[in-house]
Amino acid sequence: MSLEVSTVSAPSQSQKASLSSLLASRNGKRPREHVSAVELQEAAIQLLNSNQNLSDLLLEVGQQSPKFGKFSLYWDAGEKDAPDRCLVQKTGTSFLLSELQRQSEELGVPVGVLSVRVVLDRVLEITTPAEKDEDHTLLSPVQRTQLCVLLQSTRELLSAGTFSPRLLWQEYWKTQPRLEVVYHLHAENILALEDLLESDDRVRIWLVKQLQALCGLAHAQEEEEEGEVRQKILSAIMCALVRAGFEEAQVTASASRKFSQRCHSVLDDMLSWLLDSVNPSQGPLEQGKAAAEAWVRVFEVSLSHASVLGEALRRFCTRSLTHILTHCPRLKVSDAIAMQSNWTFAKTNPLLTSLFCKLCVLFSVEELLSHLQQVLESHEVNWQHVLCCLSTLLVYHSDAQHCLKEMLSRLLSTAFEAYDLESMITAFLLARQGALEGPTVFPSYSDWFKLAFGGASGYHGNSKKSLVFLLKFLSDLVPFDPPQYLKVHILHPPYVPAKHRSLLQEYVSLAKTRLADLKVSVEEMGLYEDVSGAAETVQPQHQAQQDVEKAVSLFESTGKISAMVMEASIFRRPYFLSRFLPALLTPRVLPVKADARMNFIEALRRADKIPAAVYSSYTESCQSETQRQQSGVEGPVEGSEALLAVLRAQLQELRRLLSSGAKQGDVSAQLARVSDTLSEVSPEPLEEKEVGHAAVQLHTGAPSSSELHTKVVNALLRSFCQCLLDASRVSPPSRQGAWAAQFVKLLLGHRRLLAALLHRLWDLLPNQGHSLGAAHVLGLAALLVQLHAAGPQCPMVLPPSSSSCSSSSSSSSSSSESCRPLPVSEALSAVLPTHTADHMNFSLRFCVAAVSYGLCSSPPQEQQPVPSSLYKKLLYLVPRLVPEARVEPERGAGRGAGRGQEEGVSAGAGEDAEEQWHRLTDPNITLTKSVLELWRCESFCSLRKLPEYLLSFPEWLSLELRVQRSQDALSDPQRLEYEQWVCEQLYLPSAVEEGGCGADMRRACTAILEAIMDTSASAQPWQQGPEATAPHTDTCLPDVLCRLQEMVCELQMTERLQSAGEADARFLFDVVARRCFKAPDSQSLSSTLSLQQTLHAWNRVVLALPAVCLIPVRSEGARKTLDCQPLMEHVNQYQRKACSPAGLLPYHLTAHFLRGIVGASVCCERPAAAINRAVSEMNQHCPLLLASVGRWWAGLCPVLASQWSRLSDGDALPERLQLLVHCHSWARRWVRGDTGGAAVPSAPPLLLAACLRQQWSSRPDASQGTGAEKLAQLQQQQHRPVLVFLLFFCITDLLNAYLSPQGAESVMQAQKQCCEILPLLVDSADWLQLFHSQTAEQGQYLSATNMSTEENNRLMPLAFYSLVPCLDAAVLNWAVRAPGFLYTAAVSYCKLLQLFLDGQTPPPQPEVSPQQVDVSQVLSKAQQTLLKIITLSPSGCLTHKQRSELGALCGALDPEVAATLTMQLSPPDLGPAFSQELDFL
């Protein structure tokens, strides 16, 4: 207590004394004066009464509490001093009460009144603001401390019953009360805020003003302590008002209801003030922004305050939402229709969206939409607030879309049942608002409109009255509807029955008139205009640019001009000429190689759609543009840097939110703002929503996007990688929320930017992937996984080769597979390079990151968390690069076992995935360790049980065959060890259902053979980077061939040992048979090329295998024989069709087949007899192989003789092989003219002719002819077939010269040789059989047709009329006498004419020698020759059946020839008139 020491001391002590006297007085103890207790008490009371101050006494009593400032230091002496403190406090309070009682007796007033007066005076004294203090709302820290001390003493008085709070407020209200004083009175439980509001209605007005003033103190430069005090006061008052106004207590009493209404009124007034502050039309936004933020922040604190019951909070939030939705309903529905596009989430004041979020947090989406519908039905609403609230719900709640669709369905059903316009307009406004937020939040307006009214099952389809109601409603909207919605209604009108089409036409006319008034003519509407209603009206020039890009994309993917472009050039010519062509013909620097745009322009020019003057001006402008850019003149895009700056700032804010662990709603809101900025960067979507999710066409070479789009894409990719890394520092992907999926949905809503992003990834992964850092690899891998997770929402991708494939008629399955659209994940994973060590390392990092992210970010029950293509590539790379992974400690977790664990991935699998993600992002853990941990992870191993995640043996072979041996990560011994492990331990024992071979060696060999053929026949032309240019000679094909050789040898040995010498190699022929059977059109060039490519690949593999494996050995009882049937069928069906030149197998293939026969013969008891039988079967069933043996015998003889000598211990050649030696020797002597009277060998005529042909072609003077004088010796009847087959070989050379001309000499030489042989045969009909189809009439010459290609057989009529016109008259006279000559000539002429009509004759060569016979001239000579033959032929040379057949053929193709046949060869009884008419011939 403030007691004065001087009152206690003696009067003499007030005088000054020296230091020595004071010290001297301490030497002895002063004697104590004997005073009684009564005297001492009276002295003390006299002392107190003489110097007491009640105000100071109140402070001193309050200071005894240990919770105020510096006074707590004195009282904080530990628990042992607690009784002393209580004693002191009680003593102080007793002093205060005794003094109040004494003064109240002296003044004659009650103690309570005196205590109120004393406290109020002290309060006013403490809270009186200083003159320099401009702000009187809050107390200073010193004042706040003193006030708290005073109120502590006041609480003691209140506890003693000597203080009246109500009287204090009555007296304080007469002054100028301050809100903070009231707050402290409320906080100290002295004066409740509820009592203040209940006392006087004026308190409500005063409280609102005080709250607004307190909020107005908020500013950016305020101190932290001051802001905390302000928010504490606001929160406490808010809680008190909510508790007093919304908790159910004594609701029946009228006074309580009135009191609650006052609390409601205060809260409503503050909410109205807040809404007015965030409304830009009420004034500058910045003036009230800080104040509004202070009150908005109160909502979040109050909702979590423990002093308010949950039900009271829900009632408060419901009332507040209703108040917001109905605040100042000044806008009409027509205003909402016109202004709705400005009320999207991104354009709404963030404070308003934050307020919506805080008020809606206690409710589900269904409850909120139900309340919204209830407010719309029962109140006049503020449409801006209603629609902004809906946008906030859609952005922050992923399930709001489904709930809104159900709500719209109910509204439309109600509207058409009761013909309620309010429900109708509500549904349209809400649907349009959802569409404005983009496709990631809600379907487009056009999709919703078509779904609701586009079919007969729509809401309006049940009656005419409903239809009239809908059209009347749409007509009423026309004066207010923005143009984009009118376009939706015109281009996608509601379904109307045919009998009511006039009603729809009335609306369409009205809408078009409105568009014309808005200067948005229907003629100016784009060809592929975005009519979703989600964007503002696009300017015509911008819309035309969008149409051009869409048209070029369609032309590139289809190879044809779009039908809409062709129609526009005719029916919408003003738009086509004034908008479309100027946008298409924008001057630019033309690339060296024509791109899709140039090809499209050229196609339009050829179709006469571009005026010549316009095209000429375009080419000149392009040249000028090239010169301008070469001079360095460049102009930046206006406003692009500003847009990029805004986008980067928004992406940086997104990164900050993720790194701080912000709520999902805040992240979604930020992504919505990013989407709005991207809409400004690319305001017109490239694709039209109604066309569907068209595939994105990828390009190679020049970039397909603008520089601005490239910068935006780079910013988006960089931001995604940074955000993923920052979010992963806070939590693993499984607990990061849906921000990554929403980021991808954001990209899917901007198709042009998505296409540019896919192009960037398409180029980045194969070309620059190995140089990417760890953060970029993680981010890009996660992005690819999220694109995969988007499923059908993500468009398909057309690789660069697809445009060419689409216009090609290729029938190969590989081509069709490479041309089909691919999912994004599959297309991008296909270009991940794996051919060199560096690229394998990058692909391993990328795939590990993608699989780890997919496993960690997906729930355990999801079946496809990661792209299967990346998973398979990881299955290929890990065992190859990490040998430790080849040992599977748990067979059940890997391939082929673990079927007992069918309960799926356990909860521990998710934990393993999270741990794997932590290891992957830890820089201290090596890649090898992360890979091994992932390889053994339970969730990773469980995916192998799914069929789509199995890496089959053919898939492994396809990847292995693309590895570049010179730059492989493995050495040759390491590669050998790895491939043997894969073949023998991994795939050979595995079941077929698991991608293996089921312990079937033949299946494994078949898989390797087909993989080699696929690799050589289906190289992807769209491969990027070094992998596309890797030489085919530097692959792992030799290594894989070695594995095939090992398996084939083992298979042959095993089968022959198990079957006592038998071995079946039909599977080698079955492979090529299956592949060649797929060609549907044998006459098409593509089918022929595909067959040749297939056979070339098959021959390449077969020649590397032991020849003996091609000839099976079968048992016929106890005897073993060679089964040459598969080989001969293969040659007849496939090799024959791909021979080049026709009619002759290559030497190496012929030698391989013959060595196989000789080698397999040792398995028989009589090898020589087996060989003889095989050669005899060739003559009967495989003439092509026999003829090829005869042609190549000079080289085959030493090879086969050496082989037979080794196998038979020096025995003589078998009889049939010895016959080949004799035939070859005879032919050599015959050509030299040294016959010596030697007889012709008794060999097949085909073989003799082949030997003769080989000897003549090998002579130095072969161009001089065949030597007719020598061939005349073979004119005897028994040797005439030799001449016929020799003629056939010469005709084959002639057709080969036509098909692949080497100049005039080759054609003339072959023609001369034929003409030397032909006179020797014209007197018989044998040679005519060569020109017949495969019929029984050919007899022994059927083998000639069976050994030639189908194209040569088809061109035999060309050969006929290339030879017959060269015959002299005498020979021709002899020829016409031969039976069937006229019939053969007429049929050949008709077939030749049909060949020309079908365009199947050899095409003209660009450089034809003047001496060479032009194929196109053969037809004209053929007609003249045939007419001459008809005149020379006797009348009875044709049978009635032949005459009828020729009349039908010639009558359809050449009526002149048909008439000549009829007149010349008709029966003679037709009269003299016909004879006179035929004299002109």
Side-chain angles (χ1 to χ4, degrees):
M1 287 184 286
S2 180
L3 301 179
E4 297 181 6
V5 181
S6 59
T7 59
V8 180
S9 304
S12 62
Q13 290 179 344
S14 62
Q15 299 177 0
K16 295 182 178 181
S18 63
L19 178 60
S20 58
S21 62
L22 291 175
L23 293 175
S25 64
R26 296 286 182 179
N27 294 332
K29 186 175 182 180
R30 296 176 58 187
R32 164 175 277 181
E33 298 179 1
H34 296 280
V35 182
S36 64
V38 176
E39 293 176 348
L40 187 60
Q41 183 178 6
E42 292 178 354
I45 292 174
Q46 182 181 2
L47 174 63
L48 291 172
N49 290 337
S50 60
N51 292 281
Q52 190 54 266
N53 188 321
L54 284 176
S55 297
D56 293 340
L57 187 59
L58 284 171
L59 288 179
E60 291 177 3
V61 172
Q63 288 170 5
Q64 297 167 6
S65 175
K67 65 177 182 179
F68 295 114
K70 61 182 181 180
F71 300 100
S72 62
L73 299 177
Y74 176 81
W75 297 101
D76 191 10
E79 292 296 330
K80 61 181 181 179
D81 298 331
D84 297 336
R85 291 200 301 270
C86 293
L87 178 61
V88 172
Q89 185 175 358
K90 291 179 180 179
T91 304
T93 302
S94 62
F95 279 135
L96 179 60
L97 290 176
S98 62
E99 179 61 21
L100 286 174
Q101 291 175 357
R102 187 187 65 79
Q103 292 191 10
S104 66
E105 292 175 357
E106 292 179 357
L107 299 175
V109 294
V111 176
V113 174
L114 179 60
S115 61
V116 167
R117 181 71 263 174
V118 173
V119 170
L120 180 60
D121 291 343
R122 188 56 176 164
V123 167
L124 294 177
E125 179 183 352
I126 292 175
T127 60
T128 299
E131 295 181 359
K132 62 179 181 179
D133 190 4
E134 299 179 358
D135 181 16
H136 307 323
T137 306
L138 290 179
L139 302 177
S140 65
V142 175
Q143 290 176 326
R144 191 172 296 115
T145 302
Q146 293 179 352
L147 179 62
C148 291
V149 172
L150 174 64
L151 295 182
Q152 182 66 23
S153 300
T154 306
R155 286 190 59 188
E156 298 295 338
L157 296 178
L158 182 62
S159 300
T162 58
F163 185 80
S164 173
R166 187 176 299 273
L167 180 59
L168 173 65
W169 173 246
Q170 292 176 357
E171 296 298 324
Y172 188 50
W173 176 251
K174 298 176 183 178
T175 63
Q176 295 182 357
R178 301 178 67 173
L179 182 60
E180 185 175 358
V181 175
V182 175
Y183 159 72
H184 287 294
L185 291 173
H186 174 80
E188 294 292 340
N189 294 326
I190 297 175
L191 186 61
L193 185 62
E194 294 87 341
D195 297 336
L196 305 186
L197 291 173
E198 195 174 3
S199 62
D200 193 344
D201 186 61
R202 293 176 298 173
V203 177
R204 178 186 62 81
I205 302 174
W206 169 84
L207 181 59
V208 171
K209 292 181 179 179
Q210 288 291 314
L211 290 173
Q212 294 176 2
L214 186 59
C215 292
L217 293 178
H219 53 83
Q221 291 79 20
E222 67 178 353
E223 297 180 359
E224 182 179 358
E225 181 181 358
E226 183 179 353
E228 291 178 356
V229 171
R230 185 190 64 252
Q231 288 302 131
K232 188 176 181 180
I233 295 173
L234 292 175
S235 300
I237 294 176
M238 166 72 83
C239 291
L241 293 174
V242 172
R243 184 173 57 251
F246 293 94
E247 289 185 356
E248 295 181 356
Q250 299 178 357
V251 294
T252 57
S254 59
S256 297
R257 289 197 299 269
K258 184 177 180 181
F259 170 67
S260 298
Q261 291 175 359
R262 289 182 180 178
C263 296
H264 297 169
S265 178
V266 173
L267 295 172
D268 292 344
D269 290 346
M270 288 302 298
L271 191 55
S272 298
W273 168 79
L274 172 63
L275 295 175
D276 294 337
S277 300
V278 300
N279 187 1
S281 61
Q282 301 297 326
L285 183 62
E286 293 298 330
Q287 294 182 359
K289 181 178 179 181
E293 284 181 351
W295 187 247
V296 169
R297 201 176 301 120
V298 169
F299 284 86
E300 182 176 0
V301 176
S302 63
L303 293 182
S304 58
H305 203 284
S307 62
V308 183
L309 298 178
E311 288 300 322
L313 286 177
R314 290 175 63 89
R315 286 191 290 271
F316 164 68
C317 292
T318 301
R319 179 181 177 86
S320 299
L321 275 176
T322 304
H323 184 85
I324 296 173
L325 299 179
T326 58
H327 176 70
C328 296
R330 292 185 294 268
L331 296 177
K332 301 178 181 179
V333 172
S334 58
D335 300 326
I337 295 174
M339 303 170 61
Q340 187 173 7
S341 60
N342 297 322
W343 298 339
T344 60
F345 177 84
K347 298 178 181 179
T348 303
N349 193 310
L351 291 177
L352 185 59
T353 58
S354 176
L355 180 61
F356 281 131
C357 294
K358 298 179 189 306
L359 292 176
C360 297
V361 71
L362 296 178
F363 306 96
S364 64
V365 178
E366 292 83 357
E367 293 174 331
L368 292 171
L369 290 179
S370 176
H371 180 69
L372 178 63
Q373 183 176 356
Q374 180 181 358
V375 172
L376 289 171
E377 294 173 352
S378 57
H379 295 77
E380 289 291 332
V381 297
N382 184 321
W383 281 108
Q384 181 179 3
H385 291 172
V386 169
L387 299 178
C388 291
C389 178
L390 179 65
S391 293
T392 304
L393 288 179
L394 289 172
V395 170
Y396 275 85
H397 297 275
S398 58
D399 54 344
Q401 179 182 150
H402 175 70
C403 297
L404 178 58
K405 288 181 180 178
E406 293 182 349
M407 177 181 176
L408 294 176
S409 179
R410 292 194 301 269
L411 287 173
L412 290 178
S413 299
T414 303
F416 282 94
E417 288 174 1
Y419 301 104
D420 184 9
L421 283 176
E422 292 187 0
S423 299
M424 196 75 169
I425 190 61
T426 299
F428 270 72
L429 283 174
L430 297 183
R432 291 179 179 183
Q433 187 67 22
L436 288 173
E437 299 301 333
T440 60
V441 174
F442 196 79
S444 65
Y445 176 71
S446 59
D447 291 341
W448 175 82
F449 188 81
K450 287 188 297 183
L451 184 63
F453 308 108
S457 60
Y459 296 95
H460 66 297
N462 54 353
S463 66
K464 179 182 178 181
K465 186 176 181 181
S466 298
L467 175 62
V468 172
F469 173 71
L470 173 62
L471 294 177
K472 177 65 169 58
F473 170 76
L474 294 178
S475 300
D476 294 340
L477 290 182
V478 167
F480 315 103
D481 257 341
Q484 63 266 26
Y485 298 118
L486 294 176
K487 293 178 183 179
V488 173
H489 301 159
I490 293 175
L491 296 181
H492 305 284
Y495 169 78
V496 176
K499 58 183 178 180
H500 302 313
R501 297 293 293 179
S502 59
L503 299 176
L504 177 62
Q505 292 301 325
E506 293 179 3
Y507 168 76
V508 172
S509 301
L510 180 63
K512 288 184 177 180
T513 303
R514 174 59 179 169
L515 288 175
D517 295 339
L518 296 174
K519 298 181 181 181
V520 183
S521 175
V522 180
E523 293 298 329
E524 294 288 346
M525 291 173 60
L527 307 182
Y528 310 96
E529 183 169 348
D530 177 15
V531 292
S532 63
E536 294 291 342
T537 301
V538 181
Q539 295 299 324
Q541 59 271 21
H542 296 162
Q543 185 63 56
Q545 183 63 35
Q546 173 184 331
D547 291 342
V548 167
E549 295 178 357
K550 175 63 178 177
V552 172
S553 176
L554 290 177
F555 176 80
E556 186 177 15
S557 60
T558 63
K560 300 178 181 179
I561 301 175
S562 171
M564 300 193 72
V565 175
M566 299 298 291
E567 293 173 1
S569 66
I570 301 173
F571 302 107
R572 298 183 58 191
R573 194 162 182 79
Y575 174 81
F576 183 78
L577 294 177
S578 62
R579 297 294 184 188
F580 184 81
L581 284 185
L584 175 64
L585 302 178
T586 303
R588 64 181 182 125
V589 178
L590 299 179
V592 178
K593 184 179 179 181
D595 57 1
R597 194 184 189 98
M598 292 179 64
N599 294 332
F600 179 63
I601 294 173
E602 183 62 22
L604 287 177
R605 188 186 66 82
R606 289 196 303 266
D608 294 332
K609 298 302 180 183
I610 303 178
V614 175
Y615 183 78
S616 177
S617 176
Y618 166 70
T619 55
E620 294 176 358
S621 300
C622 289
Q623 294 176 359
S624 302
E625 182 70 14
T626 303
Q627 296 175 358
R628 185 185 68 82
Q629 291 201 10
Q630 288 177 353
S631 62
V633 180
E634 194 72 34
V637 180
E638 182 179 358
S640 61
E641 293 300 329
L643 288 174
L644 283 174
V646 173
L647 179 64
R648 291 191 181 103
Q650 292 175 342
L651 293 175
Q652 185 65 27
E653 175 63 17
L654 175 65
R655 181 182 177 186
R656 186 194 65 79
L657 291 173
L658 292 173
S659 61
S660 61
K663 297 180 180 179
Q664 181 61 38
D666 297 333
V667 176
S668 301
Q670 186 62 23
L671 286 173
R673 299 182 185 98
V674 173
S675 178
D676 184 69
T677 304
L678 293 180
S679 299
E680 298 181 12
V681 175
S682 179
E684 304 87 21
L686 177 61
E687 301 292 340
E688 185 189 14
K689 305 295 188 299
E690 286 69 36
V691 178
H693 295 292
V696 176
Q697 176 66 58
L698 297 178
H699 308 272
T700 55
S704 60
S705 57
S706 64
E707 181 181 358
L708 176 60
H709 283 179
T710 302
K711 293 181 179 179
V712 171
V713 166
N714 290 336
L716 290 172
L717 291 177
R718 187 182 305 109
S719 174
F720 187 88
C721 297
Q722 293 172 345
C723 288
L724 178 68
L725 207 60
D726 293 340
S728 298
R729 294 191 180 101
V730 178
S731 57
S734 57
R735 295 196 291 269
Q736 290 178 10
W739 75 268
Q742 292 179 352
F743 194 101
V744 170
K745 288 183 179 180
L746 178 149
L747 296 176
L748 298 179
H750 299 82
R751 293 297 299 272
R752 183 181 297 178
L753 291 176
L754 176 64
L757 182 139
L758 294 179
H759 277 94
R760 183 72 178 103
L761 293 177
W762 179 266
D763 176 72
L764 180 66
L765 294 180
N767 298 323
Q768 307 175 36
H770 60 279
S771 61
L772 294 176
H776 296 93
V777 172
L778 287 175
L780 296 180
L783 179 61
L784 184 56
V785 172
Q786 289 295 341
L787 288 172
H788 166 77
Q793 299 180 7
C794 187
M796 304 289 278
V797 169
L798 278 171
S801 63
S802 299
S803 59
S804 60
C805 291
S806 60
S807 59
S808 170
S809 59
S810 174
S811 60
S812 68
S813 60
S814 60
S815 298
S816 61
E817 287 297 320
S818 62
C819 294
R820 65 180 177 87
L822 303 174
V824 171
S825 58
E826 184 176 342
L828 293 180
S829 62
V831 296
L832 281 177
T834 58
H835 63 288
T836 65
D838 292 339
H839 291 91
M840 283 184 185
N841 184 46
F842 162 69
S843 297
L844 179 65
R845 294 164 54 208
F846 189 90
C847 294
V848 168
V851 173
S852 300
Y853 178 83
L855 294 175
C856 185
S857 62
S858 304
Q861 65 274 12
E862 186 170 338
Q863 293 297 314
Q864 294 184 348
V866 295
S868 59
S869 54
L870 291 180
Y871 186 87
K872 291 180 180 180
K873 190 158 288 191
L874 192 60
L875 292 180
Y876 168 74
L877 291 172
V878 172
R880 201 177 200 280
L881 301 179
V882 185
E884 295 86 348
R886 301 174 193 171
V887 180
E888 297 186 12
E890 296 184 14
R891 186 70 178 175
R895 182 189 306 271
R899 298 302 181 186
Q901 301 176 358
E902 294 295 337
E903 58 272 8
V905 181
S906 61
E911 297 177 358
D912 291 343
E914 291 184 5
E915 293 178 1
Q916 170 61 23
W917 180 256
H918 286 305
R919 285 190 292 267
L920 189 64
T921 55
D922 189 351
N924 298 323
I925 298 180
T926 62
L927 177 63
T928 302
K929 185 175 180 180
S930 298
V931 169
L932 290 175
E933 292 294 338
L934 175 64
W935 189 257
R936 302 184 179 101
C937 181
E938 181 181 355
S939 55
F940 178 86
C941 296
S942 63
L943 288 180
R944 298 196 207 179
K945 302 176 184 178
L946 303 178
E948 59 270 24
Y949 286 97
L950 289 175
L951 180 68
S952 64
F953 189 39
E955 291 171 332
W956 176 87
L957 289 168
S958 177
L959 292 170
E960 185 69 14
L961 286 170
R962 287 187 171 90
V963 175
Q964 198 168 339
R965 299 178 78 246
S966 61
Q967 301 184 38
D968 190 7
L970 303 179
S971 62
D972 291 344
Q974 291 173 338
R975 190 185 310 109
L976 172 63
E977 178 185 356
Y978 163 69
E979 291 178 351
Q980 288 180 340
W981 172 82
V982 170
C983 296
E984 299 173 3
Q985 301 183 37
L986 185 62
Y987 285 110
L988 186 58
S990 299
V992 178
E993 299 80 11
E994 298 173 358
C997 302
D1000 187 352
M1001 188 72 73
R1002 186 179 288 104
R1003 185 187 296 272
C1005 295
T1006 302
I1008 296 177
L1009 177 57
E1010 290 187 339
I1012 295 174
M1013 297 175 68
D1014 287 335
T1015 302
S1016 60
S1018 62
Q1020 301 291 356
W1022 41 264
Q1023 287 288 357
Q1024 293 286 302
E1027 189 171 7
T1029 59
H1032 293 291
T1033 57
D1034 191 22
T1035 65
C1036 285
L1037 178 61
D1039 303 88
V1040 177
L1041 277 177
C1042 289
R1043 307 290 82 74
L1044 179 61
Q1045 291 170 349
E1046 295 171 358
M1047 290 184 176
V1048 169
C1049 291
E1050 181 180 352
L1051 178 64
Q1052 291 288 315
M1053 295 299 298
T1054 303
E1055 289 185 344
R1056 291 184 176 178
L1057 290 175
Q1058 293 177 348
S1059 306
E1062 291 190 16
D1064 188 2
R1066 286 180 178 268
F1067 71 92
L1068 295 175
F1069 300 105
D1070 293 340
V1071 171
V1072 71
R1074 286 194 301 268
R1075 300 175 73 89
C1076 295
F1077 182 74
K1078 300 177 182 178
D1081 185 8
S1082 60
Q1083 296 184 2
S1084 65
L1085 178 61
S1086 60
S1087 298
T1088 303
L1089 295 176
S1090 175
L1091 176 63
Q1092 292 177 353
Q1093 189 178 35
T1094 300
L1095 289 175
H1096 176 74
W1098 187 84
N1099 295 342
R1100 183 182 181 185
V1101 177
V1102 166
L1103 290 174
L1105 298 178
V1108 69
C1109 70
L1110 298 176
I1111 309 300
V1113 178
R1114 69 172 183 267
S1115 299
E1116 295 180 355
R1119 188 180 62 174
K1120 296 188 180 300
T1121 60
L1122 300 181
D1123 184 10
C1124 298
Q1125 189 67 25
L1127 173 63
M1128 291 187 292
E1129 290 179 356
H1130 168 75
V1131 172
N1132 291 333
Q1133 294 183 13
Y1134 306 113
Q1135 296 290 348
R1136 174 182 66 86
K1137 299 177 182 179
C1139 287
S1140 181
L1144 182 64
L1145 290 176
Y1147 166 77
H1148 57 274
L1149 199 60
T1150 306
H1152 202 65
F1153 291 158
L1154 265 293
R1155 286 191 294 109
I1157 293 175
V1158 174
S1161 65
V1162 299
C1163 297
C1164 304
E1165 289 78 1
R1166 299 172 58 191
I1171 295 175
N1172 292 334
R1173 189 180 303 108
V1175 176
S1176 299
E1177 290 178 355
M1178 288 183 200
N1179 181 43
Q1180 299 175 4
H1181 304 294
C1182 192
L1184 176 60
L1185 182 56
L1186 181 63
S1188 300
V1189 171
R1191 292 290 295 271
W1192 300 116
W1193 183 251
L1196 290 174
C1197 184
V1199 175
L1200 297 180
S1202 175
Q1203 182 184 12
W1204 176 253
S1205 177
R1206 295 193 306 269
L1207 297 176
S1208 62
D1209 296 331
D1211 292 347
L1213 285 175
E1215 178 183 351
R1216 286 294 176 176
L1217 294 183
Q1218 191 64 42
L1219 179 62
L1220 284 170
V1221 175
H1222 296 332
C1223 292
H1224 199 267
S1225 300
W1226 168 82
R1228 183 171 60 251
R1229 293 194 303 270
W1230 189 276
V1231 171
R1232 294 176 181 174
D1234 185 17
T1235 58
V1240 178
S1242 58
L1246 177 62
L1247 180 59
L1248 293 173
C1251 294
L1252 282 174
R1253 184 59 186 161
Q1254 191 273 335
Q1255 291 298 326
W1256 256 304
S1257 60
S1258 62
R1259 288 188 310 163
D1261 57 345
S1263 60
Q1264 301 301 322
T1266 58
E1269 65 281 357
K1270 300 176 183 178
L1271 294 177
Q1273 302 177 17
L1274 297 175
Q1275 275 189 292
Q1276 294 90 358
Q1277 183 67 29
Q1278 64 271 23
H1279 300 310
R1280 183 168 292 174
V1282 179
L1283 289 177
V1284 176
F1285 281 114
L1286 188 60
L1287 175 63
F1288 167 74
F1289 288 133
C1290 295
I1291 291 175
T1292 301
D1293 293 342
L1294 174 63
L1295 294 177
N1296 291 339
Y1298 275 130
L1299 292 173
S1300 54
Q1302 302 173 359
E1305 295 182 359
S1306 59
V1307 177
M1308 299 303 293
Q1309 177 183 347
Q1311 198 171 19
K1312 180 181 179 181
Q1313 293 173 354
C1314 292
C1315 292
E1316 289 179 353
I1317 302 174
L1318 191 56
L1320 303 176
L1321 299 171
V1322 293
D1323 58 341
S1324 69
D1326 291 355
W1327 71 281
L1328 296 176
Q1329 306 304 320
L1330 299 177
F1331 300 95
H1332 290 177
S1333 301
Q1334 292 182 351
T1335 60
E1337 298 177 356
Q1338 289 186 281
Q1340 61 178 331
Y1341 303 112
L1342 180 62
S1343 58
T1345 303
N1346 291 336
M1347 65 182 295
S1348 184
T1349 63
E1350 294 183 358
E1351 186 174 18
N1352 276 25
N1353 290 334
R1354 193 168 56 249
L1355 294 178
M1356 289 299 286
L1358 176 63
F1360 184 89
Y1361 280 100
S1362 297
L1363 300 178
V1364 173
C1366 299
L1367 298 177
D1368 53 22
V1371 177
L1372 185 60
N1373 285 330
W1374 277 99
V1376 296
R1377 298 176 184 177
F1381 180 79
L1382 176 59
Y1383 177 77
T1384 303
V1387 172
S1388 298
Y1389 172 74
C1390 293
K1391 292 182 178 179
L1392 178 62
L1393 184 59
Q1394 190 65 48
L1395 288 175
F1396 272 92
L1397 293 177
D1398 295 341
Q1400 295 181 359
T1401 56
Q1405 300 301 315
E1407 297 180 359
V1408 179
S1409 173
Q1411 300 178 355
Q1412 184 175 350
V1413 179
D1414 190 358
V1415 178
S1416 62
Q1417 299 177 1
V1418 175
L1419 182 62
S1420 59
K1421 293 183 179 181
Q1423 186 187 38
Q1424 299 173 8
T1425 303
L1426 179 58
L1427 293 175
K1428 186 176 181 180
I1429 292 172
I1430 294 174
T1431 59
L1432 295 175
S1433 300
S1435 59
C1437 63
L1438 294 178
T1439 64
H1440 178 71
K1441 180 180 179 182
Q1442 291 176 341
R1443 189 182 300 112
S1444 300
E1445 181 182 351
L1446 292 178
L1449 286 174
C1450 298
L1453 297 173
D1454 193 336
E1456 181 180 357
V1457 172
T1460 304
L1461 279 172
T1462 302
M1463 291 184 292
Q1464 184 70 20
L1465 302 178
S1466 297
D1469 58 347
L1470 293 177
F1474 283 92
S1475 300
Q1476 294 177 1
E1477 292 180 3
L1478 291 177
D1479 288 341
F1480 77 95
L1481 295 174

